[in-house]
Amino acid sequence: MDFLLTLLRAMPGAVGQGLIWGIMAIGVYITFRILDVADLTVDGSLATGGAVCVLLTVNGCNIWVAVLAAFLAGMLAGLVTGLFHTACGIPAILSGILTQLALYSINLRIMGFGTDAGTKASLAVSVNDFDLLVSSRYIRDVALNNPILLLLVLTAVLIAVLYWFFGTELGSSLRATGSNPSMARAQGINTKFNIVLGLMVSNGLVALSGALLAQYQGSSTIDMGRGAIVIGLAAVIIGEVILGKVFRNFALKLLSAVIGAIIYYVVIQFVLRLGLDTNDLKLLTALVVAVFLAIPYWKGRYFTKSVRKGGQANA
Amino acid sequence: MLELKSVYKTFNPGTVNEKRALNGVSLTLNDGDFVTVIGGNGAGKSTLLNAVAGVWPVDAGSISIGGIDVTRLPEHKRASYIGRVFQDPMMGTAATMQIEENLALAARRGKNRTLRPGIGRGERERYRELLQILGLGLEDRLTVKVGLLSGGQRQALTLLMATLNRPKLLLLDEHTAALDPKTAAKVLETTEKIVQRDHLTTLMITHNMRDAIAHGNRLIMMYEGRIVLDISGEAKQKLTVEDLLEQFTKVSGSDEADDKMLLS
């Protein structure tokens, strides 16, 4: 009974975190599923979003402006990765790793801006002193300042905007770029531009998520994005496995990534209450993602119905 | 309409895999020419089409379409003048997108992609009419994902997409080779219908000599990166498969036209 009660008490926190990471998962969905690029920039750009947002906030900037600045900083990170990939011909994964590594130094500089040392590994922002959008302090309050409320609205707005965008001429050409680059080029689509654009939008969202996360936990830290890509992938995949059959519409697919993130954090709370060490979480996450990524491959390889000999896919 | 002046292309230069794929190709297509291209494997047929389409830059020479020099234009910019159908039915369409979405993408070839809706009002009606030409019943399946279609259906759709905006040039790279004979014949028939209707300047590669003779007003044969035979008009109409084999033997210097594909 005690176990259930503590678990229940942890639920609002899990949902709040899930919603914040859900925005990040939407960013990952854009690169991983729509553009068909595994973008590892996000580990860095998440922390960049947090760092930029907190730095501006503690220096007296309006919180909404700070969040917007974080979004733009993330887009800039995506631009760099995109240019590494398209203009320099570096493989996408490596481009992301390079940017992510570079961002580690940059994030230290951002958080250390104005200090004597010039670098700082964390930057605190207290909800006592600043008008933050979301804070874990109010996560169990039944009030308007409960972060879940704002996060729900924000998520809905983001999904609506993205749904509109990917339905436009430009958005459609972006989907075509991910679906079949040679077809896209033959139809006059500038695939390089689209890949850069997609990476920018994706990392903008990831940084936005980082900005919210930093407010939520009351500080931005240098390692807040470590393994973010794996959590994002986990959210996308969990969402697909559980809701993929039901959610066919594009907006619902984005929503399923968010729900995947929430489920991820609920499950995490559950295993933590069961006594799992926090330090082992990343191992568990990596294993879960590996298995879910492998399932479609295994299905195709070992569980297909045997075809008549000499039979071919219908031409 | 299309003019190539001594175009050269060598793949993997300076390595053991060096391959001179185009060896000074010059070719001029007049408006409305329907040219079939034959030749053995590695003769440079596909390389020729890819050079025109701008898949990679050529080493030397110039290419112009409709009087516009496109030699230095990237692939996606040349696309505004060119419609293409590939050999692989999977290559010409986006599998995860709907039939109407694919058509809408093609309809905007050569235009700026803006933030207007991806499919405008009234477009669907036009697509429905166009799809009827194919006679595959696709006009009633506009919102079906292309990935669910058969290879033949996808190829027919690609053909429709390639010709949607009346391109200055239509490039067909063995677009029926991967289809079963019956489907191939049907796609070829549709090709003929559309090319005639729109009076399209067309370059069609084929492995099938009979098709090469039966279609188009002009035939060119390639060998080792060069055009070795160029027949048009009446001479083309009188051409037989035996004539072509004889010619092939002459240029290749071998006793037999050993290229199995050539005979098919």
Side-chain angles (χ1 to χ4, degrees):
Chain A
M1 207 55 210
D2 252 11
F3 173 79
L4 275 179
L5 270 179
T6 53
L7 187 64
L8 215 61
R9 275 186 63 76
M11 278 308 107
V15 173
Q17 270 200 311
L19 282 167
I20 292 175
W21 282 89
I23 294 170
M24 192 270 176
I26 291 176
V28 171
Y29 186 91
I30 290 173
T31 48
F32 186 65
R33 279 295 181 235
I34 299 179
L35 276 184
D36 198 21
V37 165
D39 175 33
L40 302 191
T41 316
V42 297
D43 282 26
S45 54
L46 187 92
T48 305
V52 167
C53 178
V54 173
L55 179 78
L56 289 177
T57 307
V58 297
N59 280 296
C61 192
N62 176 283
I63 189 70
W64 285 102
V65 176
V67 169
L68 182 69
F71 181 79
L72 294 176
M75 288 185 88
L76 200 62
L79 174 69
V80 172
T81 301
L83 291 179
F84 276 156
H85 180 45
T86 57
C88 309
I90 302 169
I93 290 194
L94 198 51
S95 301
I97 292 175
L98 290 175
T99 311
Q100 180 205 116
L101 186 70
L103 282 176
Y104 188 86
S105 300
I106 293 170
N107 292 341
L108 287 172
R109 289 283 172 195
I110 293 173
M111 288 187 281
F113 183 82
T115 62
D116 291 338
T119 65
K120 217 160 176 274
S122 72
L123 201 58
V125 60
S126 169
V127 69
N128 293 329
D129 309 326
F130 301 100
D131 207 6
L132 302 184
L133 296 178
V134 288
S135 171
S136 57
R137 180 180 297 173
Y138 309 122
I139 192 72
R140 275 189 283 275
D141 292 5
V142 186
L144 275 176
N145 64 356
N146 188 315
I148 291 178
L149 211 61
L150 182 103
L151 289 171
L152 281 174
V153 174
L154 197 59
T155 304
V157 170
L158 284 175
I159 289 179
V161 170
L162 289 170
Y163 180 74
W164 163 78
F165 173 72
F166 282 103
T168 63
E169 294 177 339
L170 182 63
S172 299
S173 78
L174 225 127
R175 284 188 289 142
T177 300
S179 179
N180 185 347
S182 57
M183 169 271 190
R185 279 190 295 271
Q187 300 305 341
I189 293 167
N190 188 343
T191 50
K192 287 186 175 178
F193 173 82
N194 278 356
I195 289 173
V196 174
L197 180 66
L199 284 168
M200 287 176 74
V201 172
S202 165
N203 279 289
L205 289 170
V206 172
L208 171 65
S209 162
L212 294 171
L213 187 61
Q215 294 175 51
Y216 182 82
Q217 64 191 21
S219 71
S220 93
T221 57
I222 189 66
D223 62 354
M224 65 191 270
R226 179 167 295 166
I229 181 67
V230 184
I231 296 176
L233 286 177
V236 169
I237 294 165
I238 292 171
E240 281 176 351
V241 168
I242 294 178
L243 299 162
K245 287 250 159 35
V246 205
F247 285 7
R248 299 258 177 214
N249 179 287
F250 181 71
L252 292 178
K253 282 183 177 170
L254 294 180
L255 182 64
S256 74
V258 178
I259 295 175
I262 295 172
I263 294 172
Y264 173 82
Y265 275 99
V266 169
V267 172
I268 293 292
Q269 283 304 327
F270 185 73
V271 293
L272 284 180
R273 304 289 148 183
L274 282 179
L276 185 88
D277 192 321
T278 329
N279 291 318
D280 296 329
L281 267 184
K282 301 241 192 267
L283 173 67
L284 184 75
T285 310
L287 286 176
V288 168
V289 171
V291 168
F292 277 107
L293 283 176
I295 283 174
Y297 174 75
W298 288 338
K299 259 190 182 163
R301 201 173 158 81
Y302 304 112
F303 299 105
T304 39
K305 287 174 193 141
S306 56
V307 191
R308 195 158 39 91
K309 226 180 184 179
Q312 268 187 337
N314 191 10
Chain B
M1 188 49 78
L2 171 70
E3 192 170 12
L4 282 88
K5 281 188 196 151
S6 21
V7 172
Y8 288 84
K9 179 69 188 180
T10 303
F11 290 113
N12 309 311
T15 70
V16 286
N17 291 322
E18 184 171 296
K19 164 87 184 152
R20 176 161 272 191
L22 291 181
N23 200 355
V25 172
S26 295
L27 176 69
T28 305
L29 261 62
N30 298 317
D31 198 1
D33 263 357
F34 183 171
V35 180
T36 54
V37 187
I38 57 168
N41 286 327
K45 308 185 299 289
S46 289
T47 312
L48 177 71
L49 254 60
N50 286 337
V52 173
V55 177
W56 22 251
V58 295
D59 299 338
S62 71
I63 301 166
S64 67
I65 300 170
I68 302 155
D69 186 359
V70 298
T71 317
R72 272 167 229 295
L73 282 189
E75 191 178 357
H76 70 267
K77 288 220 172 114
R78 290 190 207 189
S80 40
Y81 312 115
I82 302 173
R84 284 157 79 192
V85 186
F86 308 91
Q87 178 173 1
D88 181 354
M90 304 300 135
M91 255 177 85
T93 45
T96 57
M97 298 175 77
Q98 301 165 355
I99 291 178
E100 60 178 24
E101 286 178 323
N102 272 273
L103 284 163
L105 284 167
R108 283 157 183 76
R109 188 172 61 230
K111 296 184 185 132
N112 273 334
R113 316 252 168 191
T114 65
L115 292 179
R116 280 195 289 267
I119 301 179
R121 258 181 247 152
E123 271 185 73
R124 289 187 179 89
E125 211 35 59
R126 182 184 165 214
Y127 297 154
R128 207 166 276 137
E129 282 168 25
L130 287 167
L131 285 164
Q132 273 168 1
I133 300 170
L134 303 180
L136 296 169
L138 295 182
E139 60 271 16
D140 302 321
R141 303 170 66 191
L142 280 179
T143 55
V144 167
K145 295 256 162 75
V146 169
L148 296 171
L149 305 184
S150 72
Q153 288 172 327
R154 283 180 77 163
Q155 209 63 330
L157 179 62
T158 310
L159 183 67
L160 203 59
M161 288 162 62
T163 54
L164 205 54
N165 284 351
R166 193 173 190 281
K168 286 190 193 310
L169 186 65
L170 178 62
L171 301 179
L172 308 169
D173 188 355
E174 292 192 50
H175 67 307
T176 60
L179 309 176
D180 66 82
K182 207 173 139 199
T183 316
K186 180 143 198 196
V187 169
L188 204 54
E189 186 192 315
T190 312
T191 308
E192 183 77 40
K193 209 191 292 181
I194 293 175
V195 169
Q196 295 299 338
R197 184 195 65 192
D198 292 347
H199 195 62
L200 295 174
T201 310
T202 305
L203 209 50
M204 177 174 94
I205 298 179
T206 176
H207 260 136
N208 188 317
M209 285 202 185
R210 264 180 291 276
D211 287 346
I213 293 168
H215 297 273
N217 63 331
R218 188 172 162 193
L219 179 149
I220 60 176
M221 183 191 281
M222 292 191 70
Y223 183 72
E224 291 189 338
R226 275 189 300 264
I227 294 172
V228 291
L229 192 69
D230 190 339
I231 306 173
S232 55
E234 251 179 78
K236 157 94 173 30
Q237 284 174 3
K238 287 186 198 143
L239 212 58
T240 63
V241 173
E242 286 70 33
D243 293 341
L244 279 180
L245 283 175
E246 196 181 312
Q247 292 285 350
F248 184 82
T249 314
K250 211 181 328 178
V251 296
S252 67
S254 69
D255 298 337
E256 45 177 343
D258 58 350
D259 200 297
K260 268 182 281 172
M261 300 306 280
L262 209 59
L263 291 164
S264 65

